[in-house]
Amino acid sequence: MLLVVDVGNTNIVFAVHDGKEWLGTWRIATTANRTSDEYAATLFLLMEKQNIPVTQITKAIIGTVVPPVLYQLLLLCRQWFGVEPIVASATLDWGFDILINNPQEVGVDRLLNGLAAHQLYGGPLIVVDLGTATTFDMIDQDGNYCGGIIAPGLTLSLEALHSAAARLPRIGIGRPQSVVGKETIGAMKSGIYWGYIGLIEGIIKRIQDEYSQPLTVVGTGGLAPLLAEGTPVFKKINPELTLEGLRMLAKRNLLKNTKSKT
């Protein structure tokens, strides 16, 4: 079985795949000072609850955009599962070209999203990841990563609005009943929700104009289903796209390593 670890700025997702399907997926808050022992205590309990034997984990892959947590996750895999994990990076065999000036700069989550989206849906396409940051990534017909756009995430924008304006409260995220708010909270919800719909639609339109061809738009990230309610631009929604990318990357590189040893 494969242990997949997807480290985002907000959450770490642990998942187990048996070669056919996902047996379990769990999220914990991303905390820089958590130890490998703490990860193990939490993860072993979660796996036990779903009857997944710890001893069946024979391989692992880690993808992270938060470097400080990597060491303890490496220890988790080595000491508690007895496996040496693959760490997703631009130096691995992705099966496509990274067509930007410095491939080492691009976040591995964006490469993983592109890998999975192209394998699942073909190309050319735009992947919109609605997480801590809102990213737009262009993948060509052959699956090559062509670059993208990074904007502040919806939650970050909400927090900035509350922090910078003394009289504006902290609010939750949701689709407002009307565009024009009748009170402060309604006005804030409308500005955030429809503002991000405008951001998504506007940037996608500009990318399509620049490439002069129809592009399939794939949404991922925890907020993708909510924002997809407000716009028809998304053709596919897959909140677990990064996990799928990690699984595919592990399969490709584990197979390559096996062949190189024979």
Side-chain angles (χ1 to χ4, degrees):
M1 292 184 185
L2 173 69
L3 174 66
V4 174
V5 186
D6 173 26
V7 185
N9 290 294
T10 304
N11 293 313
I12 300 177
V13 181
F14 294 94
V16 173
H17 198 277
D18 69 353
K20 297 180 180 179
E21 62 182 347
W22 295 104
L23 301 182
T25 304
W26 312 278
R27 285 170 169 77
I28 65 173
T30 302
T31 304
N33 60 0
R34 187 175 278 123
T35 68
S36 61
D37 297 341
E38 291 173 308
Y39 285 126
T42 300
L43 187 54
F44 279 27
L45 180 61
L46 293 169
M47 291 175 66
E48 181 183 355
K49 291 290 186 182
Q50 292 190 235
N51 298 313
I52 301 173
V54 173
T55 55
Q56 294 299 305
I57 299 298
T58 58
K59 50 203 174 208
I61 184 166
I62 301 170
T64 180
V65 296
V66 187
V69 307
L70 178 58
Y71 178 69
Q72 293 298 326
L73 289 170
L74 289 171
L75 289 182
L76 167 71
C77 294
R78 292 165 179 165
Q79 295 178 348
W80 289 97
F81 290 99
V83 299
E84 183 63 32
I86 295 172
V87 178
S89 72
T91 60
L92 292 178
D93 176 14
W94 290 83
F96 58 77
D97 293 326
I98 304 172
L99 304 177
I100 63 173
N101 295 335
N102 186 356
Q104 299 290 341
E105 285 184 354
V106 63
V108 293
D109 55 333
R110 300 169 68 190
L111 298 178
L112 291 163
N113 288 342
L115 171 63
H118 189 264
Q119 288 291 318
L120 293 171
Y121 310 119
L125 53 84
I126 304 168
V127 180
V128 184
D129 190 344
L130 295 148
T132 304
T134 297
T135 59
F136 302 77
D137 293 298
M138 173 65 194
I139 312 299
D140 70 15
Q141 180 67 41
D142 298 320
N144 300 314
Y145 180 84
C146 300
I149 297 162
I150 302 173
L154 193 152
T155 304
L156 278 178
S157 297
L158 265 179
E159 189 60 32
L161 198 60
H162 166 70
S163 299
R167 298 189 62 185
L168 295 182
R170 181 178 282 108
I171 64 171
I173 300 168
R175 181 177 179 177
Q177 295 298 313
S178 61
V179 176
V180 178
K182 300 298 184 181
E183 70 291 312
T184 298
I185 290 177
M188 291 174 67
K189 284 186 174 181
S190 186
I192 288 293
Y193 186 86
W194 295 114
Y196 267 80
I197 293 296
L199 171 76
I200 292 165
E201 292 178 339
I203 288 180
I204 287 172
K205 173 66 164 56
R206 288 179 181 274
I207 295 173
Q208 289 175 328
D209 289 347
E210 189 168 295
Y211 281 85
S212 302
Q213 60 182 315
L215 303 167
T216 299
V217 181
V218 180
T220 190
L223 293 172
L226 174 64
L227 288 166
E229 294 176 8
T231 176
V233 298
F234 293 105
K235 301 307 178 187
K236 302 288 183 180
I237 295 292
N238 188 338
E240 308 299 347
L241 203 60
T242 313
L243 283 183
E244 289 291 343
L246 280 164
R247 179 185 64 78
M248 294 173 184
L249 185 66
K251 182 177 180 180
R252 183 177 188 88
N253 284 270
L254 286 168
L255 181 63
K256 181 181 179 182
N257 290 342
T258 300
K259 288 181 177 178
S260 67
K261 293 176 182 177
T262 58

